[in-house]
Structure formats: structure tokens, C-alpha cells
Coordinates of all heavy atoms in Angstrom, one line a residue:
M13 N 0.8 -1.2 0.0 CA 0.0 0.0 0.0 C 0.9 1.2 0.0 O 0.7 2.1 -0.8 CB -0.9 0.0 1.2 CG -2.0 1.0 1.2 SD -3.2 0.8 -0.2 CE -4.3 2.2 0.1
F14 N 1.8 1.3 1.0 CA 2.6 2.4 1.1 C 3.5 2.6 -0.2 O 3.6 3.8 -0.7 CB 3.5 2.3 2.3 CG 4.5 3.4 2.4 CD1 4.2 4.7 2.9 CD2 5.9 3.2 2.1 CE1 5.2 5.7 2.9 CE2 6.8 4.2 2.2 CZ 6.5 5.4 2.6
T15 N 4.0 1.5 -0.7 CA 4.9 1.6 -1.9 C 4.1 2.1 -3.1 O 4.6 2.8 -3.9 CB 5.6 0.3 -2.1 OG1 4.7 -0.7 -2.2 CG2 6.7 0.0 -1.1
S16 N 2.9 1.6 -3.2 CA 2.1 2.0 -4.4 C 1.8 3.5 -4.4 O 1.7 4.1 -5.4 CB 0.8 1.1 -4.5 OG -0.1 1.5 -3.6
I17 N 1.4 4.0 -3.2 CA 1.2 5.5 -3.1 C 2.4 6.2 -3.4 O 2.4 7.2 -4.2 CB 0.7 5.8 -1.7 CG1 -0.7 5.3 -1.5 CG2 0.7 7.3 -1.5 CD1 -1.2 5.3 0.0
L18 N 3.5 5.8 -2.9 CA 4.8 6.4 -3.1 C 5.1 6.5 -4.6 O 5.5 7.4 -5.2 CB 5.9 5.8 -2.3 CG 7.2 6.5 -2.4 CD1 7.1 7.8 -1.6 CD2 8.3 5.6 -1.7
W19 N 4.9 5.3 -5.2 CA 5.1 5.2 -6.7 C 4.3 6.1 -7.5 O 4.8 6.8 -8.4 CB 4.9 3.7 -7.1 CG 5.1 3.5 -8.5 CD1 4.1 3.1 -9.4 CD2 6.3 3.7 -9.4 NE1 4.6 2.9 -10.7 CE2 5.9 3.3 -10.7 CE3 7.6 4.1 -9.1 CZ2 6.8 3.4 -11.7 CZ3 8.5 4.1 -10.1 CH2 8.1 3.8 -11.4
K20 N 3.1 6.2 -7.1 CA 2.2 7.2 -7.9 C 2.7 8.6 -7.8 O 2.6 9.4 -8.7 CB 0.8 7.1 -7.3 CG 0.0 5.9 -7.9 CD -1.5 6.3 -8.1 CE -2.1 5.4 -9.1 NZ -3.4 5.8 -9.7
E21 N 3.2 9.0 -6.6 CA 3.7 10.3 -6.4 C 5.0 10.5 -7.2 O 5.1 11.6 -7.8 CB 4.0 10.6 -4.9 CG 2.7 10.9 -4.1 CD 3.0 11.2 -2.7 OE1 4.2 11.4 -2.4 OE2 2.1 11.1 -1.9
V22 N 5.8 9.5 -7.2 CA 7.0 9.6 -8.0 C 6.6 9.8 -9.5 O 7.2 10.6 -10.2 CB 7.9 8.4 -7.8 CG1 9.0 8.3 -8.9 CG2 8.4 8.4 -6.4
Q23 N 5.7 8.9 -9.9 CA 5.3 9.0 -11.3 C 4.7 10.4 -11.7 O 5.0 11.0 -12.7 CB 4.1 8.0 -11.6 CG 4.6 6.5 -11.6 CD 5.2 6.2 -12.9 OE1 4.6 6.3 -14.0 NE2 6.5 5.8 -12.9
H24 N 3.9 10.9 -10.7 CA 3.3 12.2 -11.0 C 4.3 13.3 -11.1 O 4.1 14.3 -11.8 CB 2.3 12.5 -9.9 CG 1.4 13.6 -10.1 ND1 0.5 13.6 -11.2 CD2 1.3 14.8 -9.6 CE1 -0.1 14.8 -11.2 NE2 0.4 15.5 -10.2
M25 N 5.4 13.2 -10.3 CA 6.3 14.3 -10.2 C 7.4 14.2 -11.4 O 8.1 15.1 -11.6 CB 7.1 14.2 -8.9 CG 6.1 14.7 -7.7 SD 7.0 14.4 -6.1 CE 8.4 15.6 -6.3
R26 N 7.4 13.0 -12.0 CA 8.4 12.8 -13.0 C 8.1 13.6 -14.3 O 7.0 13.8 -14.7 CB 8.5 11.4 -13.4 CG 9.5 10.6 -12.6 CD 9.4 9.1 -13.0 NE 10.0 8.8 -14.3 CZ 9.8 7.6 -14.8 NH1 9.1 6.7 -14.2 NH2 10.3 7.3 -16.0
E27 N 9.1 14.2 -14.8 CA 9.0 14.9 -16.0 C 9.3 14.0 -17.2 O 10.2 13.2 -17.0 CB 9.8 16.2 -16.1 CG 9.3 17.3 -15.2 CD 10.1 18.6 -15.4 OE1 11.2 18.5 -15.9 OE2 9.5 19.6 -15.1
C28 N 8.7 14.2 -18.3 CA 9.0 13.4 -19.4 C 10.3 13.8 -20.2 O 10.3 15.0 -20.6 CB 7.8 13.4 -20.4 SG 8.1 12.5 -21.9
G29 N 11.2 13.0 -20.2 CA 12.5 13.4 -20.9 C 12.3 13.6 -22.3 O 13.0 14.4 -22.9
I30 N 11.4 12.9 -23.0 CA 11.2 13.0 -24.4 C 10.6 14.4 -24.7 O 11.1 15.1 -25.6 CB 10.4 11.9 -25.0 CG1 11.0 10.5 -24.7 CG2 10.2 12.1 -26.5 CD1 10.2 9.3 -25.0
C31 N 9.6 14.7 -23.9 CA 9.0 16.0 -24.1 C 9.8 17.2 -23.8 O 9.8 18.3 -24.5 CB 7.7 16.1 -23.3 SG 6.3 15.2 -23.8
N32 N 10.7 17.0 -22.8 CA 11.6 18.0 -22.4 C 13.0 18.1 -23.1 O 13.8 18.9 -22.8 CB 11.8 17.9 -20.9 CG 10.6 18.4 -20.1 OD1 10.3 19.5 -19.9 ND2 9.8 17.4 -19.6
G33 N 13.2 17.1 -24.0 CA 14.3 17.1 -24.8 C 15.6 16.5 -24.3 O 16.6 16.6 -24.9
W34 N 15.5 16.0 -23.1 CA 16.8 15.4 -22.6 C 16.8 13.9 -22.6 O 17.8 13.2 -22.2 CB 17.1 15.9 -21.1 CG 16.0 15.9 -20.2 CD1 15.3 17.0 -19.8 CD2 15.5 14.8 -19.4 NE1 14.3 16.6 -18.8 CE2 14.4 15.3 -18.6 CE3 15.8 13.4 -19.3 CZ2 13.7 14.4 -17.7 CZ3 15.1 12.6 -18.5 CH2 14.0 13.1 -17.7
D35 N 15.8 13.3 -23.2 CA 15.8 11.8 -23.4 C 15.9 11.6 -25.0 O 15.5 12.5 -25.7 CB 14.6 11.2 -22.9 CG 14.8 9.7 -22.6 OD1 15.9 9.2 -23.0 OD2 13.9 9.0 -22.1
Q36 N 16.3 10.4 -25.4 CA 16.4 10.2 -26.8 C 15.0 10.0 -27.4 O 14.1 9.5 -26.9 CB 17.3 9.0 -27.1 CG 16.7 7.7 -26.5 CD 17.6 6.5 -26.8 OE1 18.6 6.6 -27.4 NE2 17.2 5.3 -26.4
T37 N 14.9 10.7 -28.6 CA 13.6 10.6 -29.3 C 13.7 9.6 -30.5 O 12.7 9.4 -31.2 CB 13.2 12.0 -29.9 OG1 14.2 12.4 -30.7 CG2 13.0 13.0 -28.8
L38 N 14.8 8.9 -30.6 CA 14.9 7.8 -31.5 C 15.1 6.5 -30.8 O 15.8 6.5 -29.8 CB 16.1 8.0 -32.5 CG 15.9 9.2 -33.5 CD1 17.2 9.4 -34.2 CD2 14.8 8.8 -34.5
H39 N 14.4 5.5 -31.3 CA 14.8 4.2 -30.7 C 14.7 3.1 -31.7 O 14.1 3.3 -32.8 CB 14.1 3.9 -29.4 CG 12.8 3.2 -29.5 ND1 12.5 2.2 -28.6 CD2 11.7 3.5 -30.3 CE1 11.2 1.9 -28.9 NE2 10.7 2.6 -29.8
L40 N 15.4 1.9 -31.5 CA 15.6 0.9 -32.5 C 14.3 0.1 -32.7 O 13.7 -0.3 -31.7 CB 16.7 0.0 -32.2 CG 18.1 0.5 -32.5 CD1 19.2 -0.6 -32.1 CD2 18.3 0.8 -34.0
C41 N 14.0 -0.1 -33.9 CA 12.8 -1.0 -34.2 C 13.1 -2.5 -33.8 O 14.2 -3.0 -34.2 CB 12.5 -0.9 -35.7 SG 11.2 -2.1 -36.2
P42 N 12.3 -3.1 -33.0 CA 12.5 -4.4 -32.6 C 12.4 -5.4 -33.7 O 12.8 -6.6 -33.6 CB 11.4 -4.7 -31.5 CG 10.3 -3.6 -31.8 CD 11.0 -2.5 -32.5
K43 N 11.8 -5.1 -34.8 CA 11.5 -6.0 -35.9 C 12.7 -5.9 -37.0 O 13.2 -7.0 -37.3 CB 10.2 -5.6 -36.6 CG 9.6 -6.6 -37.5 CD 8.2 -6.2 -38.0 CE 7.8 -6.9 -39.2 NZ 6.5 -6.3 -39.8
C44 N 13.0 -4.7 -37.4 CA 14.0 -4.6 -38.5 C 15.2 -3.9 -38.1 O 16.1 -3.7 -38.9 CB 13.3 -3.9 -39.7 SG 13.1 -2.1 -39.5
K45 N 15.3 -3.4 -36.9 CA 16.5 -2.7 -36.3 C 16.6 -1.3 -37.0 O 17.7 -0.7 -36.9 CB 17.8 -3.5 -36.4 CG 17.7 -4.9 -35.9 CD 17.4 -4.9 -34.3 CE 17.3 -6.3 -33.8 NZ 16.7 -6.3 -32.5
G46 N 15.6 -0.8 -37.7 CA 15.6 0.5 -38.2 C 15.4 1.5 -37.1 O 15.2 1.2 -36.0
M47 N 15.4 2.8 -37.6 CA 15.2 3.9 -36.6 C 13.7 4.2 -36.5 O 13.0 4.4 -37.5 CB 16.0 5.2 -37.0 CG 17.4 5.1 -36.7 SD 17.6 5.1 -34.9 CE 19.3 5.6 -34.7
M48 N 13.3 4.2 -35.2 CA 11.8 4.6 -35.0 C 11.8 6.0 -34.5 O 12.6 6.4 -33.7 CB 11.2 3.6 -34.0 CG 11.3 2.2 -34.4 SD 10.3 1.1 -33.3 CE 8.6 1.4 -33.9
E49 N 10.9 6.8 -35.1 CA 10.8 8.2 -34.7 C 9.7 8.5 -33.8 O 8.6 8.0 -34.0 CB 10.8 9.0 -36.1 CG 11.8 10.1 -36.1 CD 11.8 10.9 -37.4 OE1 11.8 10.2 -38.5 OE2 11.6 12.1 -37.3
D50 N 10.0 9.4 -32.9 CA 8.9 9.9 -32.0 C 7.8 10.6 -32.7 O 8.0 11.5 -33.5 CB 9.5 10.8 -30.9 CG 8.5 11.2 -30.0 OD1 7.5 10.6 -29.8 OD2 8.7 12.4 -29.4
Q51 N 6.5 10.2 -32.5 CA 5.4 10.8 -33.2 C 4.7 11.7 -32.2 O 3.6 12.4 -32.6 CB 4.4 9.8 -33.7 CG 5.1 8.8 -34.7 CD 5.6 9.5 -35.9 OE1 4.9 10.3 -36.6 NE2 6.8 9.3 -36.3
G52 N 5.1 11.7 -30.9 CA 4.4 12.6 -30.0 C 3.7 11.8 -28.9 O 3.8 10.5 -28.9
R53 N 3.0 12.4 -28.0 CA 2.4 11.8 -26.9 C 1.1 10.9 -27.4 O 0.3 11.4 -28.2 CB 1.9 12.8 -25.9 CG 3.0 13.5 -25.2 CD 2.5 14.5 -24.3 NE 1.7 13.9 -23.3 CZ 1.2 14.5 -22.2 NH1 1.5 15.7 -22.0 NH2 0.5 13.9 -21.3
I54 N 1.0 9.7 -27.0 CA 0.0 8.8 -27.4 C -1.4 9.3 -26.9 O -2.4 9.1 -27.6 CB 0.3 7.4 -26.9 CG1 -0.6 6.4 -27.6 CG2 0.1 7.3 -25.4 CD1 -0.3 5.0 -27.4
T55 N -1.4 10.0 -25.8 CA -2.7 10.5 -25.2 C -3.3 11.6 -26.1 O -4.5 11.9 -26.1 CB -2.5 11.0 -23.8 OG1 -1.4 11.8 -23.7 CG2 -2.4 9.8 -22.9
D56 N -2.4 12.2 -27.0 CA -2.9 13.3 -27.8 C -3.7 12.7 -29.0 O -4.6 13.5 -29.6 CB -1.7 14.1 -28.3 CG -1.1 15.0 -27.2 OD1 -1.8 15.1 -26.2 OD2 0.0 15.4 -27.4
F57 N -3.5 11.5 -29.4 CA -4.2 11.0 -30.5 C -4.5 9.5 -30.4 O -4.4 8.7 -31.3 CB -3.4 11.2 -31.8 CG -2.0 11.0 -31.8 CD1 -1.5 9.7 -32.0 CD2 -1.1 12.0 -31.4 CE1 -0.1 9.5 -32.0 CE2 0.3 11.8 -31.4 CZ 0.8 10.5 -31.7
L58 N -4.9 9.2 -29.2 CA -5.1 7.7 -28.9 C -6.2 7.2 -29.7 O -6.2 6.0 -30.1 CB -5.4 7.6 -27.4 CG -5.4 6.2 -26.8 CD1 -4.0 5.7 -26.9 CD2 -5.8 6.3 -25.3
D59 N -7.3 7.9 -29.9 CA -8.4 7.4 -30.7 C -8.1 7.0 -32.1 O -8.6 6.1 -32.7 CB -9.5 8.5 -30.8 CG -10.2 8.7 -29.4 OD1 -10.0 7.8 -28.6 OD2 -10.9 9.6 -29.2
D60 N -7.1 7.7 -32.7 CA -6.7 7.4 -34.1 C -5.8 6.2 -34.2 O -5.9 5.4 -35.1 CB -5.9 8.6 -34.7 CG -6.8 9.8 -34.9 OD1 -8.1 9.6 -34.9 OD2 -6.3 10.9 -35.0
Y61 N -5.0 6.0 -33.1 CA -4.0 5.0 -33.3 C -4.3 3.7 -32.4 O -3.7 2.7 -32.6 CB -2.7 5.5 -32.8 CG -2.0 6.3 -33.9 CD1 -2.3 7.7 -34.0 CD2 -1.2 5.7 -34.9 CE1 -1.7 8.4 -35.1 CE2 -0.7 6.4 -35.9 CZ -0.9 7.8 -36.0 OH -0.3 8.4 -37.0
S62 N -5.2 3.8 -31.5 CA -5.5 2.6 -30.7 C -5.8 1.3 -31.4 O -5.4 0.2 -30.9 CB -6.6 2.9 -29.6 OG -7.7 3.4 -30.2
P63 N -6.5 1.3 -32.5 CA -6.7 0.1 -33.2 C -5.4 -0.6 -33.7 O -5.4 -1.8 -33.9 CB -7.5 0.4 -34.5 CG -8.1 1.8 -34.1 CD -7.1 2.4 -33.2
Y64 N -4.3 0.1 -33.8 CA -3.1 -0.4 -34.4 C -2.2 -0.9 -33.3 O -1.2 -1.6 -33.5 CB -2.4 0.6 -35.2 CG -3.3 1.1 -36.4 CD1 -3.8 2.4 -36.3 CD2 -3.5 0.3 -37.5 CE1 -4.6 2.9 -37.3 CE2 -4.3 0.8 -38.5 CZ -4.9 2.1 -38.4 OH -5.7 2.5 -39.4
L65 N -2.5 -0.5 -32.1 CA -1.5 -0.7 -31.0 C -1.6 -2.1 -30.4 O -2.7 -2.7 -30.5 CB -1.6 0.3 -29.9 CG -1.3 1.8 -30.3 CD1 -1.7 2.7 -29.2 CD2 0.2 1.9 -30.6
D66 N -0.6 -2.5 -29.7 CA -0.6 -3.7 -29.0 C -1.7 -3.8 -28.1 O -2.0 -2.8 -27.4 CB 0.8 -3.9 -28.3 CG 1.0 -5.3 -27.8 OD1 0.2 -5.8 -27.0 OD2 1.9 -6.0 -28.3
Q67 N -2.3 -5.0 -27.9 CA -3.5 -5.2 -27.0 C -3.2 -4.7 -25.6 O -4.1 -4.2 -24.9 CB -3.9 -6.6 -27.1 CG -5.3 -6.9 -26.6 CD -6.4 -6.2 -27.5 OE1 -6.1 -6.2 -28.7 NE2 -7.5 -5.8 -27.0
K68 N -2.0 -5.0 -25.2 CA -1.7 -4.7 -23.7 C -1.9 -3.2 -23.5 O -2.2 -2.7 -22.3 CB -0.3 -5.1 -23.4 CG 0.8 -4.3 -24.0 CD 2.2 -4.9 -23.7 CE 3.3 -4.2 -24.5 NZ 4.6 -4.7 -24.3
W69 N -1.6 -2.3 -24.4 CA -1.7 -0.9 -24.2 C -3.2 -0.4 -24.2 O -3.6 0.4 -23.5 CB -0.9 -0.1 -25.2 CG 0.6 -0.3 -25.0 CD1 1.4 -1.2 -25.6 CD2 1.3 0.2 -23.9 NE1 2.6 -1.1 -25.1 CE2 2.6 -0.3 -24.0 CE3 1.1 1.2 -22.9 CZ2 3.7 0.1 -23.2 CZ3 2.1 1.6 -22.1 CH2 3.4 1.1 -22.2
T70 N -3.9 -1.0 -25.2 CA -5.3 -0.6 -25.3 C -6.1 -1.1 -24.0 O -7.0 -0.5 -23.5 CB -6.0 -1.1 -26.6 OG1 -5.7 -2.5 -26.7 CG2 -5.4 -0.4 -27.8
N71 N -5.7 -2.3 -23.6 CA -6.3 -2.8 -22.3 C -6.0 -1.9 -21.2 O -6.8 -1.6 -20.3 CB -5.8 -4.2 -22.0 CG -6.5 -5.3 -22.9 OD1 -7.5 -5.0 -23.5 ND2 -5.9 -6.4 -22.9
L72 N -4.8 -1.4 -21.1 CA -4.4 -0.5 -20.1 C -5.2 0.7 -20.0 O -5.6 1.2 -19.0 CB -2.9 -0.2 -20.3 CG -2.2 0.7 -19.2 CD1 -2.1 -0.2 -17.9 CD2 -0.8 1.2 -19.6
V73 N -5.5 1.2 -21.2 CA -6.2 2.5 -21.3 C -7.7 2.3 -21.0 O -8.3 3.0 -20.3 CB -6.1 3.1 -22.7 CG1 -6.9 4.4 -22.9 CG2 -4.6 3.4 -23.0
D74 N -8.3 1.2 -21.6 CA -9.7 1.0 -21.5 C -10.1 0.4 -20.1 O -11.2 0.7 -19.6 CB -10.2 0.1 -22.6 CG -10.0 0.8 -24.0 OD1 -10.0 2.0 -24.0 OD2 -9.9 0.1 -25.0
G75 N -9.3 -0.5 -19.6 CA -9.7 -1.3 -18.5 C -9.6 -0.8 -17.2 O -10.4 -1.1 -16.3
D76 N -8.7 0.2 -16.9 CA -8.5 0.6 -15.5 C -8.5 2.1 -15.4 O -7.7 2.8 -15.9 CB -7.0 0.1 -15.2 CG -6.7 0.4 -13.8 OD1 -7.6 0.9 -13.0 OD2 -5.5 0.1 -13.3
E77 N -9.5 2.5 -14.7 CA -9.7 4.0 -14.5 C -8.7 4.6 -13.7 O -8.4 5.8 -13.7 CB -11.1 4.3 -13.9 CG -12.2 4.0 -15.0 CD -13.6 4.4 -14.4 OE1 -13.6 5.0 -13.4 OE2 -14.6 3.9 -15.0
D78 N -8.1 3.8 -12.8 CA -7.0 4.3 -11.9 C -5.6 4.2 -12.6 O -4.6 4.5 -12.0 CB -7.0 3.6 -10.6 CG -8.1 4.0 -9.7 OD1 -8.6 5.1 -9.9 OD2 -8.5 3.1 -8.9
S79 N -5.7 3.9 -13.9 CA -4.4 3.7 -14.6 C -3.6 5.0 -14.6 O -4.1 6.1 -14.6 CB -4.7 3.4 -16.0 OG -3.5 3.5 -16.8
S80 N -2.3 4.8 -14.5 CA -1.4 6.0 -14.5 C -1.2 6.6 -15.9 O -0.3 7.4 -16.1 CB 0.0 5.6 -13.8 OG 0.5 4.6 -14.6
I81 N -1.9 6.1 -16.8 CA -1.7 6.5 -18.2 C -1.7 8.1 -18.4 O -1.0 8.6 -19.2 CB -2.5 5.9 -19.3 CG1 -2.1 6.1 -20.6 CG2 -4.0 6.3 -19.1 CD1 -2.3 4.9 -21.6
T82 N -2.6 8.7 -17.6 CA -2.7 10.1 -17.8 C -1.5 10.9 -17.1 O -1.2 12.0 -17.4 CB -4.0 10.7 -17.2 OG1 -4.2 10.2 -15.9 CG2 -5.2 10.2 -18.1
E83 N -0.9 10.2 -16.1 CA 0.2 10.8 -15.4 C 1.5 10.5 -16.1 O 2.4 11.3 -16.1 CB 0.3 10.3 -14.0 CG -0.9 10.6 -13.1 CD -0.9 10.0 -11.8 OE1 0.1 9.5 -11.3 OE2 -2.0 10.1 -11.1
E84 N 1.6 9.2 -16.7 CA 2.7 8.9 -17.4 C 2.7 9.4 -18.8 O 1.6 9.5 -19.4 CB 2.8 7.3 -17.5 CG 4.1 6.8 -17.1 CD 4.0 5.3 -17.1 OE1 3.0 4.7 -16.8 OE2 5.1 4.6 -17.4
C85 N 3.7 9.8 -19.3 CA 3.8 10.3 -20.7 C 4.2 9.1 -21.6 O 5.4 8.7 -21.5 CB 4.8 11.4 -20.8 SG 4.6 12.3 -22.4
I86 N 3.3 8.7 -22.4 CA 3.7 7.5 -23.3 C 3.7 8.1 -24.8 O 2.8 8.7 -25.2 CB 2.6 6.5 -23.2 CG1 2.6 5.9 -21.7 CG2 2.8 5.3 -24.2 CD1 1.5 4.9 -21.5
H87 N 4.8 7.7 -25.4 CA 5.0 8.2 -26.8 C 4.8 7.1 -27.8 O 5.1 6.0 -27.5 CB 6.4 8.8 -26.9 CG 6.6 10.1 -26.2 ND1 6.8 11.3 -27.0 CD2 6.5 10.5 -24.9 CE1 6.8 12.3 -26.1 NE2 6.7 11.9 -24.9
L88 N 4.4 7.5 -28.9 CA 4.2 6.6 -30.1 C 5.4 6.7 -31.0 O 5.8 7.9 -31.3 CB 2.9 6.9 -30.8 CG 2.7 6.1 -32.1 CD1 2.4 4.7 -31.8 CD2 1.6 6.7 -32.9
F89 N 6.0 5.6 -31.3 CA 7.2 5.6 -32.2 C 6.7 4.8 -33.5 O 6.0 3.8 -33.4 CB 8.3 4.9 -31.6 CG 9.0 5.8 -30.6 CD1 8.5 5.9 -29.3 CD2 10.2 6.5 -30.9 CE1 9.2 6.7 -28.3 CE2 10.8 7.3 -30.0 CZ 10.3 7.4 -28.7
I90 N 7.1 5.3 -34.6 CA 6.9 4.6 -35.9 C 8.2 4.4 -36.6 O 9.0 5.3 -36.7 CB 5.9 5.4 -36.8 CG1 4.5 5.5 -36.1 CG2 5.7 4.7 -38.1 CD1 3.4 6.3 -36.9
C91 N 8.3 3.1 -37.1 CA 9.6 2.8 -37.7 C 9.6 3.4 -39.2 O 8.7 3.3 -39.9 CB 9.7 1.3 -37.8 SG 11.2 0.7 -38.7
D92 N 10.8 4.0 -39.4 CA 11.0 4.6 -40.8 C 11.1 3.5 -41.9 O 10.7 3.7 -43.0 CB 12.3 5.4 -40.8 CG 12.1 6.8 -40.2 OD1 10.9 7.2 -40.0 OD2 13.0 7.5 -39.9
E93 N 11.6 2.3 -41.5 CA 11.9 1.3 -42.4 C 10.7 0.5 -42.7 O 10.3 0.2 -43.9 CB 13.0 0.4 -41.9 CG 14.3 1.2 -41.5 CD 14.9 1.8 -42.8 OE1 14.8 1.2 -43.9 OE2 15.5 2.9 -42.6
C94 N 10.0 -0.1 -41.7 CA 9.0 -1.1 -41.9 C 7.6 -0.6 -41.4 O 6.6 -1.3 -41.6 CB 9.3 -2.4 -41.2 SG 9.2 -2.4 -39.4
G95 N 7.5 0.6 -40.9 CA 6.2 1.1 -40.5 C 5.7 0.6 -39.2 O 4.5 0.9 -38.8
L96 N 6.4 -0.2 -38.5 CA 6.0 -0.8 -37.2 C 5.7 0.3 -36.2 O 6.5 1.3 -36.1 CB 7.0 -1.7 -36.6 CG 6.6 -2.4 -35.3 CD1 5.8 -3.7 -35.6 CD2 7.9 -2.8 -34.6
R97 N 4.5 0.2 -35.5 CA 4.2 1.1 -34.5 C 4.5 0.6 -33.1 O 4.2 -0.6 -32.8 CB 2.7 1.5 -34.5 CG 2.4 2.3 -35.7 CD 0.8 2.4 -35.9 NE 0.4 3.3 -37.0 CZ 0.3 2.8 -38.2 NH1 0.5 1.6 -38.5 NH2 -0.1 3.6 -39.1
D98 N 5.1 1.4 -32.2 CA 5.4 0.9 -30.9 C 5.2 2.1 -29.9 O 5.3 3.3 -30.3 CB 6.9 0.4 -30.9 CG 7.1 -0.5 -29.6 OD1 6.2 -0.8 -28.9 OD2 8.3 -0.8 -29.4
V99 N 5.0 1.7 -28.7 CA 4.9 2.8 -27.6 C 6.0 2.6 -26.6 O 6.5 1.6 -26.3 CB 3.5 2.7 -27.0 CG1 2.4 3.2 -27.9 CG2 3.2 1.3 -26.4
Q100 N 6.4 3.8 -26.0 CA 7.4 3.8 -25.0 C 7.1 4.8 -24.0 O 6.8 6.0 -24.3 CB 8.7 4.1 -25.7 CG 9.9 4.0 -24.7 CD 11.2 4.3 -25.4 OE1 11.5 3.7 -26.4 NE2 12.0 5.2 -24.8
S101 N 7.0 4.4 -22.7 CA 6.8 5.4 -21.7 C 8.1 5.9 -21.2 O 9.1 5.3 -21.2 CB 6.0 4.6 -20.5 OG 6.8 3.6 -20.0
S102 N 8.0 7.2 -20.8 CA 9.2 7.8 -20.4 C 9.6 7.5 -18.9 O 8.7 7.1 -18.2 CB 9.1 9.3 -20.5 OG 8.0 9.8 -19.8
Ligands
LIG202 ZN1 6.5 13.0 -23.2
LIG203 ZN1 11.1 -1.5 -38.5

């Protein structure tokens, strides 16, 4: 109980490195090892992209109202090479 409350506060206080420019905005495609580019925060256009995302992320958004998804900054990455979509939380 104590640790989960503490964790939420830590999450809430954390700043997103990708939004703030001190974290990397490129990451490697797990499929083709190409460069995946940051498309921005997933919460900004979740409705457009949710059908394409991995089930675990859509479940996270739809299933749990206490989810930290609004506190956590989750970014959508799209591979330049093969078009694979992936998400990464900061
Ligand atoms: Zn961010
Ligand atoms: Zn790829």
C-alpha cells in the first residue's frame, strides 16, 4: 500500500524526458532494427491509433480507470523502415 502510493507520487512528479528534450527521441525497431521516430504523446491521438497498438496498451487504457496513463507520458514511435508502431513510456 505504502509503496504504491509512493510510486504514484513519483510518477506524478516525473517529467517526461522526451517532451523536455533530454531523453532520446529515436529508438531501434525491434523488428527490423531500423530507426523509429517519436510521433508525440500517445494520449494526444489515442483514438486514431489505438486500433493499431498492441493489445496490452489498449487494455491498459480502457480497462483501468485508476491507470497511471494520464500521469505517465507515453509516446508513439513509428519505424521509418517497416512502419511498425510501438509505444514507449518515459
Ligand atoms: Zn512525453
Ligand atoms: Zn522496423
Side-chain angles (χ1 to χ4, degrees):
M13 192 64 178
F14 175 75
T15 49
S16 75
I17 290 171
L18 189 66
W19 175 242
K20 279 218 160 195
E21 284 181 11
V22 169
Q23 287 282 302
H24 191 67
M25 289 173 65
R26 266 172 76 190
E27 288 190 336
C28 174
I30 301 171
C31 285
N32 287 283
W34 46 259
D35 200 359
Q36 59 179 3
T37 57
L38 288 170
H39 87 139
L40 277 183
C41 176
K43 192 173 163 190
C44 72
K45 309 297 179 196
M47 278 299 196
M48 303 190 77
E49 234 179 304
D50 178 29
Q51 304 296 311
R53 296 179 56 170
I54 193 173
T55 46
D56 290 344
F57 44 88
L58 194 61
D59 288 344
D60 293 340
Y61 281 89
S62 52
Y64 305 104
L65 293 172
D66 192 297
Q67 198 67 31
K68 69 183 174 182
W69 291 100
T70 51
N71 282 348
L72 184 70
V73 178
D74 297 334
D76 184 5
E77 288 183 14
D78 285 332
S79 168
S80 61
I81 191 146
T82 52
E83 295 175 14
E84 225 175 331
C85 192
I86 297 174
H87 285 248
L88 176 70
F89 285 80
I90 296 179
C91 178
D92 280 345
E93 305 296 326
C94 72
L96 184 81
R97 293 172 175 87
D98 198 9
V99 289
Q100 185 176 311
S101 60
S102 58

